[in-house]
Amino acid sequence: EPLSGAYYGTTPIYYVNAEPHIGHAYTTIVADVVSRYQRIAGRDTFFLTGTDEHGDKIVRAAEKAGMSPKAYADKVSGLFRSLWPKLNISNDDFIRTTDSDHMACVQRILDKVNDSGDIYFSEYTGLYCFGCERFYAERELENGKCPDHQTVPEEIRESNYFFRMSRYQDWLIDHIRKNPEFIRPERFRNEVLSFLKEPLEDLCISRPKSRLTWGITLPFDENYVTYVWFDALINYVSALDYPEGERFRRFWPVAQHFIAKDILKPHGIYWPCMLKAAGIEPFQHLNVHGWWQVSSGKMSKSLGNVVRPLDLVDIYGLDAFRYFLLREMVFGLDSEFSEEALVGRLNADLANDLGNLVSRSLTMARKYFKGEIPDPAESHPEDEALRKSALDLIDTYADCMDSMVFHKALRAIWEGIGRLNKYIDTMAPWVLAKSDPERLATVMHHVVEPLRIISGLLWPFMPETAEKLQGYLGLSDRGRDLTLDRLKDWGGKATTGPLGKAVDLFPRVEPGGEKKPAADKGGQKKSAPTRAEKAPAGDDLLSFQAFQDMDLRVGTVIRAEDLVDSKKLLRLTVDIGEERTVVAGLKGHYEPGDLVGRQVIVVANLKPAKLLGVESRGMVLAAEDEAGIHLLAPDVQTAVGSKVR
Ligand code: MSP
């Protein structure tokens, strides 16, 4: 739906009883990606995160650490606060529930709700889970145990204050029905609606000080502190200086919360009812995602299967980490975390597809035009098609981002990268460089403009990489200044300076983080190994015999056909003294017709392999650089079947 000119996004405020792990990092990065997206969509944005510091849980963790709750909360809150800049989180504020403004705001809201008759005092006996810090109804337990902690809750009898949440049940059902996107994706909306089919119980919102003192004192009874959820949820408005704040006026109507499904109930039920009781409009969207799991369990401190974000960032780099989290998880579903999958994506999507595209494009722009591409001449239909698809990509992307399907937004960008790589292969600028400089300028123009668009769309996900790329492209608008509107301004020359040299954006890596040796780099070649580089030692050296064992022969191509089902492969018939069928990945680099009659070098004693149903008996040798693939051949016509030594 159309948003107004403002956007407000929040993460959960994290408990300070444990160090941050990738679960916390994920929600915060998602909220960061969306905030950055909203900025380039031209909206005034406010992005909030923080820490939740009151309650039993924190007291117990502090005791264990031999510290006072306050000193302990200061320490762990500090860990979160200092982690976020390292993950390039662009939050506008960091709230702590121990901030005095927040505490005063909670008391104000409690007074207001109490004055309107929605709070009452009553004796209560119930089953209490200390891990969750809440009472459980029998029917919510699994085999008598807390479903989250798998512990038997304790029976506690005490007098407490209750929030008349039951009053708002019908209103809430109605609100959710009328606003289908209030809780999204849909599965979580359904989950809340199905929970609301049962009568809603009132919420116990106090803890007697005899049991817990680490909390916000109830303004109407100093023998009690506020239940931690009633305290914590209010952070979303206290940070905006509710009620008088200008921020509150501007940003509250466009509030979006990001959480994982573990805290759906407080956010989907308690919070809207609290807001209603306090006379505050409901938030706009609750965006709920699934869990990152490790070996099929939720990650948690008690299970000892925690993945620490900074360890991964140190090894693989921040943007690869951010990209992976957003590309791999379908927002709303659980995902299994695996380092192998991260490495796979880094090498395939980042090093190969994106890294290669950037490096070959910039290399050609510098080589052919010293980085200053002249004005384009008349464009061909292929150029027009590319331009249209690049501009359409901006809209597709915006749709995906507005509806929280980040993996699809990224997939769309990568399809754009694929189209651009293919356009380069087909247009073969290296051929035009020799024959048609005017056409070359037009083609290179159509290479650079989509790259500019891609850099802008990548910025929310990978701010550092995108800004680097924008620097190479000589753009004067970078980062948040390169808005979606500006991206649509195809060929807006004013913003473009000379193109720079690309450094290796994403070196390929092995799991565990070892960089692959240059010779092994597939498409992404930086520099060939030089003599100065240390020769591999001992076992890594090829024996002379091993080289001798290779049967390399000169051949002449006598037929070349397109393998219609393949994007890459051509089928060659090569005469090496006998006829050999060789399936080679030359499509897009050579026209089949141009190959007939050419001499090639064939590896003749390779084990046959079936490719798309065709048996290939040998390989042809080729060199590869940024400009593409180049077949090797003897430099004068040579008798077929001659051995290469
Ligand atoms: N303090 C409460 C939230 C109060 S908000 C008013 C809390 N804190 S928490 O530290 O436990 O954080 C829970 C949140 O951390 C989840 O909702 C989610 O955003 C994130 N994650 C923690 N572990 C996670 C996974 N394993 N996977 C994905 N996200 C998870 O609850």
Side-chain angles (χ1 to χ4, degrees):
E1 85 281 24
L3 293 171
S4 74
Y7 163 85
Y8 173 40
T10 72
T11 73
I13 48 172
Y14 303 108
Y15 286 130
V16 291
N17 66 335
E19 283 185 26
H21 59 63
I22 70 158
H24 308 115
Y26 175 74
T27 314
T28 312
I29 291 172
V30 164
D32 182 64
V33 168
V34 176
S35 291
R36 288 175 186 270
Y37 160 68
Q38 297 287 350
R39 288 183 203 129
I40 61 170
R43 297 190 185 105
D44 183 11
T45 71
F46 193 75
F47 169 20
L48 177 71
T49 187
T51 44
D52 188 355
E53 308 185 7
H54 290 128
D56 280 299
K57 222 194 263 272
I58 313 304
V59 173
R60 273 178 289 133
E63 268 167 14
K64 228 174 158 183
M67 296 168 87
S68 72
K70 179 68 171 85
Y72 183 73
D74 284 349
K75 184 184 143 205
V76 182
S77 177
L79 291 179
F80 279 93
R81 191 194 281 263
S82 65
L83 170 65
W84 301 140
K86 294 180 190 144
L87 301 186
N88 230 332
I89 301 301
S90 59
N91 54 305
D92 296 289
D93 199 0
F94 185 97
I95 190 165
R96 303 180 56 182
T97 52
T98 48
D99 291 341
S100 58
D101 288 352
H102 169 76
M103 295 177 51
C105 183
V106 171
Q107 292 185 324
R108 245 173 120 154
I109 289 181
L110 279 165
D111 268 335
K112 193 164 173 190
V113 176
N114 191 34
D115 290 347
S116 63
D118 276 341
I119 291 177
Y120 63 93
F121 190 65
S122 161
E123 183 164 277
Y124 183 79
T125 309
L127 297 169
Y128 192 80
C129 171
F130 280 90
C132 302
E133 304 204 19
R134 74 172 181 95
F135 288 98
Y136 271 91
E138 291 281 1
R139 65 180 161 87
E140 293 178 273
L141 301 174
E142 281 172 9
N143 304 320
K145 289 180 178 171
C146 159
D148 279 355
H149 293 87
Q150 292 302 318
T151 51
V152 179
E154 279 178 49
E155 190 172 287
I156 291 190
R157 180 190 192 83
E158 62 190 24
S159 291
N160 264 313
Y161 288 88
F162 289 82
F163 166 47
R164 258 184 238 286
M165 200 154 70
S166 51
R167 255 196 195 170
Y168 298 101
Q169 175 159 11
D170 291 341
W171 165 79
L172 181 56
I173 294 173
D174 192 53
H175 185 76
I176 296 174
R177 291 234 167 96
K178 285 192 181 132
N179 299 276
E181 299 263 279
F182 183 57
I183 300 172
R184 62 186 181 183
E186 204 182 350
R187 61 164 52 76
F188 298 114
R189 170 180 187 260
N190 294 340
E191 201 174 312
V192 169
L193 280 174
S194 102
F195 189 86
L196 287 169
K197 282 190 184 134
E198 304 285 328
L200 198 54
E201 283 170 32
D202 289 339
L203 184 68
C204 177
I205 56 156
S206 66
R207 296 292 180 263
K209 281 196 180 167
S210 55
R211 178 149 72 77
L212 175 74
T213 55
W214 181 239
I216 300 175
T217 301
L218 290 184
F220 41 80
D221 188 340
E222 63 172 28
N223 296 315
Y224 287 86
V225 294
T226 312
Y227 168 51
V228 67
W229 273 106
F230 204 96
D231 161 355
L233 288 160
I234 289 173
N235 93 86
Y236 299 135
V237 294
S238 72
L240 298 181
D241 308 322
Y242 168 82
E244 295 93 3
E246 167 59 20
R247 275 181 183 173
F248 178 74
R249 197 193 55 74
R250 178 144 188 70
F251 291 112
W252 183 250
V254 290
Q256 299 206 29
H257 302 307
F258 293 86
I259 61 164
K261 62 186 184 181
D262 52 339
I263 52 179
L264 176 60
K265 198 173 157 194
H267 283 82
I269 296 177
Y270 307 171
W271 181 225
C273 294
M274 285 166 63
L275 288 166
K276 184 71 182 164
I280 306 172
E281 284 299 302
F283 50 82
Q284 195 180 30
H285 296 295
L286 177 63
N287 304 303
V288 189
H289 64 78
W291 284 332
W292 281 100
Q293 307 196 309
V294 181
S295 323
S296 294
K298 187 192 169 207
M299 210 177 300
S300 79
K301 194 183 171 189
S302 49
L303 293 174
N305 58 356
V306 176
V307 179
R308 290 161 26 134
L310 283 184
D311 292 352
L312 294 166
V313 168
D314 284 347
I315 299 175
Y316 301 107
L318 175 58
D319 280 355
F321 176 65
R322 289 177 59 119
Y323 171 77
F324 173 75
L325 292 182
L326 273 286
R327 177 65 185 80
E328 194 75 4
M329 181 174 260
V330 175
F331 193 87
L333 300 180
D334 294 347
S335 266
E336 180 85 14
F337 179 82
S338 108
E339 212 165 324
E340 287 71 38
L342 194 164
V343 170
R345 290 234 175 256
L346 201 175
N347 287 339
D349 302 358
L350 299 180
N352 255 6
D353 299 343
L354 176 61
N356 213 11
L357 171 65
V358 169
S359 116
R360 74 200 289 216
S361 306
L362 293 177
T363 303
M364 290 189 293
R366 286 168 60 83
K367 185 164 156 196
Y368 303 141
F369 299 113
K370 299 196 163 59
E372 303 259 18
I373 300 170
D375 286 341
E378 204 178 320
S379 51
H380 291 188
E382 302 95 301
D383 313 337
E384 283 306 315
L386 185 80
R387 169 188 151 123
K388 181 170 182 317
S389 70
L391 289 170
D392 287 349
L393 171 62
I394 302 173
D395 295 329
T396 309
Y397 168 91
D399 287 345
C400 293
M401 298 300 278
D402 286 333
S403 41
M404 309 288 141
V405 279
F406 310 108
H407 72 293
K408 283 195 183 160
L410 287 169
R411 208 161 64 194
I413 297 175
W414 257 259
E415 281 162 12
I417 290 171
R419 279 192 297 267
L420 193 50
N421 266 324
K422 180 129 193 261
Y423 175 82
I424 295 174
D425 293 343
T426 315
M427 294 300 139
W430 49 93
V431 176
L432 296 174
K434 290 175 200 140
S435 57
D436 192 346
E438 193 179 271
R439 179 75 193 129
L440 177 66
T442 310
V443 166
M444 285 308 296
H445 196 81
H446 284 80
V447 169
V448 169
E449 281 299 300
L451 266 186
R452 187 178 65 87
I453 291 174
I454 287 166
S455 80
L457 303 184
L458 281 179
W459 182 72
F461 294 95
M462 302 195 284
E464 223 171 80
T465 302
E467 283 170 33
K468 249 192 222 170
L469 178 51
Q470 288 159 4
Y472 301 153
L473 291 172
L475 305 183
S476 52
D477 287 327
R478 297 181 194 176
R480 66 182 300 168
D481 295 329
L482 191 51
T483 58
L484 296 184
D485 278 348
R486 288 208 172 259
L487 286 180
K488 287 184 181 155
D489 180 21
W490 183 275
K493 261 252 150 201
T495 58
T496 314
L499 277 69
K501 196 176 160 84
V503 294
D504 217 348
L505 277 184
F506 294 102
R508 294 172 68 84
V509 293
E510 308 267 17
E514 258 177 71
K515 305 265 186 292
K516 286 196 178 170
D520 217 32
K521 273 180 157 190
Q524 171 85 359
K525 252 149 272 93
K526 266 304 291 166
S527 51
T530 62
R531 274 170 194 281
E533 266 174 68
K534 217 168 130 240
D539 296 347
D540 291 348
L541 292 172
L542 195 68
S543 70
F544 180 65
Q545 191 54 46
F547 176 74
Q548 279 294 89
D549 290 347
M550 241 187 296
D551 188 13
L552 300 175
R553 302 276 173 171
V554 175
T556 300
V557 178
I558 50 182
R559 263 195 308 278
E561 298 144 274
D562 198 4
L563 274 182
V564 190
D565 290 337
S566 166
K567 282 191 188 151
K568 292 200 171 136
L569 301 176
L570 298 179
R571 171 207 191 119
L572 311 181
T573 310
V574 186
D575 178 7
I576 56 166
E578 59 175 89
E579 277 191 23
R580 281 293 181 91
T581 300
V582 174
V583 177
L586 298 173
K587 196 185 271 190
H589 299 277
Y590 290 90
E591 285 303 318
D594 294 345
L595 288 170
V596 177
R598 244 180 204 274
Q599 290 215 298
V600 289
I601 307 296
V602 175
V603 186
N605 61 340
L606 207 62
K607 275 207 181 108
K610 259 219 162 119
L611 297 166
L612 290 174
V614 180
E615 189 176 62
S616 178
R617 297 181 56 229
M619 271 166 62
V620 292
L621 296 188
E624 189 182 11
D625 66 7
E626 286 85 356
I629 287 177
H630 317 287
L631 282 167
L632 298 191
D635 77 341
V636 293
Q637 193 73 20
T638 305
V640 294
S642 303
K643 191 159 167 58
V644 176
R645 299 173 192 283

